Amino acid sequence: MSMPPLFSALRATVAATCLSLLAPIAQAALTIDSTRIVLPSNKRSASLVVANPSKAAYAAQVWVNTASDDTTTSVPLLASPALFRLDSGREQLVQINVLPNDLPTDRESLFYFNVQELPQVDPDARNVLNIALRTRIKLFYRPSQLKEKPETRLNELQWSAQQLDGAWQLVVDNPTPFHFTFARLEVNGEQLDAKAMAIPMGRQHFPLPAQTGNQDIALTFTIINDYGGLSAPTSQTVTRH
């Protein structure tokens, strides 16, 4: 089941509009002790800590959803407690419980853990805009039979340069059961926009700079591992097809 975010604590309707404009310069008050969560299928739950290092008290709502970031798609993961108060300097242990499910057993499934902070509203304050920020991190539900670490399978990624819809693209085919998040993805020394992951048993592509021309491509990449660290750089030459 999914847990929709609670927006009633926003001071005014305009706050929701301003949130998208101010988010790039605002900083979340609440923190999470992980940058990602890996939950093996033979475990009934995973835990993490939400902390409030700020000087103000906040309410917080937590939930798990899918990459589509909607409030209607059912997910077999339930965060508890779903709503809690965090005073300044305090922490809260959050448990993510696994519900009965029929998720794939041959590959990882991707979900997202969300923390919505809800600032306290002073009823006597005037002309005050309260901004509720949200932190969102990846949660990988991993079949327990997948014993190896994803970075040990990097050599199985298949890279090529292909012309798709009239434009050259760097294409990666991922035959492994793991998701790969790229921290660094460079071609001929130029960093690509690598927000998209290489999905298990699927294909992902990234637009190539026009200046790469018809030359072969010197590719260098790193991935983010299970602990939020980086893999050693991998380099190879990619030919055009």
Side-chain angles (χ1 to χ4, degrees), residues 21-76:
L21 299 177
L22 297 178
I25 59 173
Q27 184 174 359
L30 305 183
T31 63
I32 308 174
D33 68 345
S34 299
T35 61
R36 63 229 313 104
I37 304 164
V38 178
L39 178 51
S41 64
N42 61 348
K43 302 293 185 182
R44 300 182 62 179
S45 65
S47 299
L48 70 165
V49 174
V50 179
N52 179 12
S54 76
K55 297 181 179 179
Y58 282 83
Q61 187 178 23
V62 297
W63 71 99
V64 178
N65 64 3
T66 64
S68 59
D69 200 18
D70 60 43
T71 60
T72 57
T73 303
S74 180
V75 300

Side-chain angles (χ1 to χ4, degrees), residues 191-212:
Q191 176 71 25
L192 300 185
D193 183 353
K195 294 185 180 68
M197 289 183 292
I199 61 175
M201 303 179 190
R203 166 175 285 195
Q204 188 57 262
H205 51 83
F206 308 91
L208 282 170
Q211 59 267 31
T212 56

Side-chain angles (χ1 to χ4, degrees), residues 150-161:
E151 54 266 34
T152 66
R153 306 283 296 270
L154 284 177
N155 62 338
E156 297 181 40
L157 294 179
Q158 301 161 12
W159 298 90
S160 61

Side-chain angles (χ1 to χ4, degrees), residues 31 76 99 131 176 197:
T31 63
L99 304 178
I131 300 175
T176 81
M197 289 183 292

Side-chain angles (χ1 to χ4, degrees), residues 152-178:
T152 66
R153 306 283 296 270
L154 284 177
N155 62 338
E156 297 181 40
L157 294 179
Q158 301 161 12
W159 298 90
S160 61
Q162 302 180 26
Q163 200 163 24
L164 304 173
D165 298 325
W168 283 101
Q169 306 274 332
L170 178 67
V171 178
V172 57
D173 289 292
N174 177 13
T176 81
F178 300 106

